[in-house]
Structure formats: C-alpha cells, structure tokens
Amino acid sequence: MSSSTLPDASQVGLPASDAASAAELASLKVRLRAALRQFPDFPSPGILFEDILPIFADPSLHEALIRSLELHITANYGGQKPDVIVGLEARGFLIGPSLALRLGASFVPVRKQGKLPGPCETQGYEKEYGQDFFQMQADSIKPGQKVLVIDDIIATGGSAKAGGELIQKMGGDLLGFIFILELEFLHGRDKLPAPVYTLLSGQA
Ligand SMILES: O=P(O)(O)OC[C@H]1O[C@H](OP(=O)(O)OP(=O)(O)O)[C@H](O)[C@@H]1O
Ligand SMILES: Nc1ncnc2[nH]cnc12
Ligand SMILES: [Mg+2]
C-alpha cells in the first residue's frame, strides 16, 4: 500500500508513538505466526499440538516475541508496570525470565509438585490432557505486588487458573494473563479472574 493511502496517526485518533507501536506489533505477529508448527495426535489422539519451539531456535524471532510482549504490556494495564512475571512450568519458563528482565520485573516460577524447596502453596488442576498439582514458594509474592502470568498456550485454562489461585492466596494483585496462543474452542479464558491477552490467533 502506498503511504498516500495509509491514514496517519492523527487521522485515526492515536498519538504517533501509539500508532507506530501498533504497526510494529502487527508486523512482529505476522513473523511469529509463520514460525509455529502443528503436530496432529500429539501427545494423544485428537490433540493438534501447537509447537512454539521454532521461535526460540531463531534469535530474531525470539527477540520479536519478547519485543511484542513488551509492546503489549507497556500499552495496557492502565500504565501499571508489573512487579512480578510469573511463568508456568515448563513452557512458561521459556518466556518469563527474559520478559521479566526486559521489563525490570522479578521472575517467579510456578512449578509442578515436589520440585520447590521450603514452605509452598499447592493447588490442584485439570488441563486439556490430564491432572496435576502446581506449587509456588510461599514467600515468593508479597501482598499487593502487581503480577502478570505468562504461558505458551491456554487450552482448558486449568493450568492458568491454578497459577492465578496461588498468586491470590499470597495476596498478589493479578494484572492479567498473557499467552502466545489460545485454543479458543475450549473457552479457557472464561475461567480466569483477570484480563486475558493472546498474542497470536489460535485454533478456533
Ligand atoms: O489450559 P490448559 O488445559 O491447562 O493447558 C495449557 C497448558 O498445557 C501445557 O502444559 P503442560 O503441563 O501440558 O506441558 P509443559 O510442562 O511442557 O508446559 C501448556 O504449556 C500449558 O501450560
Ligand atoms: N494443543 C496443544 N498444543 C500445545 N500445547 C498444549 N497444551 C495444551 N493443549 C495443547
Ligand atoms: Mg505448560
């Protein structure tokens, strides 16, 4: 499209910097979406598995992922900066620490039961293909800290709901949940007690 056919930022009612960020985010998302792969019947029949690992195999896509999440976070949540990024084991650990570093926030893990030392909070949950327990160290979130939860995918929402419950037990203020992809037909977002953002369109 030629520049003469594109509205400029003032014509669409946005400050120029917001319009530039929206355009940057849109082009990053196109590159990220193209990198994903699907595997039918993994890990069990009937599941179409979404593989996000190609993003991490390419440093420019890895940077695109962190930058796109940074753009989303700085433009939303009423300008509030998260104090803590919580990542869900295991694939949330691929994204959470580098995102936290970029934002100047703490990173705190939610782990599967039996992996964390010291007093822990525990929450059971069901997910798309099984049952499990999540834990967090009991002193890992201070009351009133603003927390964003990150994971690769929301399917049934069971994992993210359990992570959110652990954060709320410790008095954390849940700003929202962020995912790369959403299996929309499972309506997992309806289970979650804070705003849900998915970076890329998922399985409808
Ligand atoms: O919305 P849900 O139905 O709860 O499913 C989504 C979760 O399922 C996968 O994790 P899983 O524990 O299967 O594997 P991982 O340890 O490789 O992250 C995925 O990474 C999400 O965390
Ligand atoms: N279809 C899917 N693909 C990848 N990870 C998942 N976690 C739960 N459902 C999934
Ligand atoms: Mg997971």
Side-chain angles (χ1 to χ4, degrees), residues 42 47-51 91 128-129 152-153 155 183 203:
F42 181 88
I47 305 282
L48 179 60
F49 190 87
E50 301 276 359
D51 183 19
R91 287 174 252 159
E128 194 188 9
Y129 39 76
D152 63 332
I153 285 189
L183 305 189
Q203 295 171 24

Side-chain angles (χ1 to χ4, degrees), residues 88-92 112 125-129 132 151-160:
L88 306 185
E89 184 175 357
R91 287 174 252 159
K112 291 173 186 170
Y125 66 99
E126 294 206 18
K127 53 189 183 174
E128 194 188 9
Y129 39 76
D132 222 329
D151 202 2
D152 63 332
I153 285 189
I154 175 168
T156 66
S159 307

Side-chain angles (χ1 to χ4, degrees), residues 140-160:
S140 60
I141 304 285
K142 309 280 176 286
Q145 280 192 310
K146 295 189 284 296
V147 182
L148 276 174
V149 177
I150 183 91
D151 202 2
D152 63 332
I153 285 189
I154 175 168
T156 66
S159 307

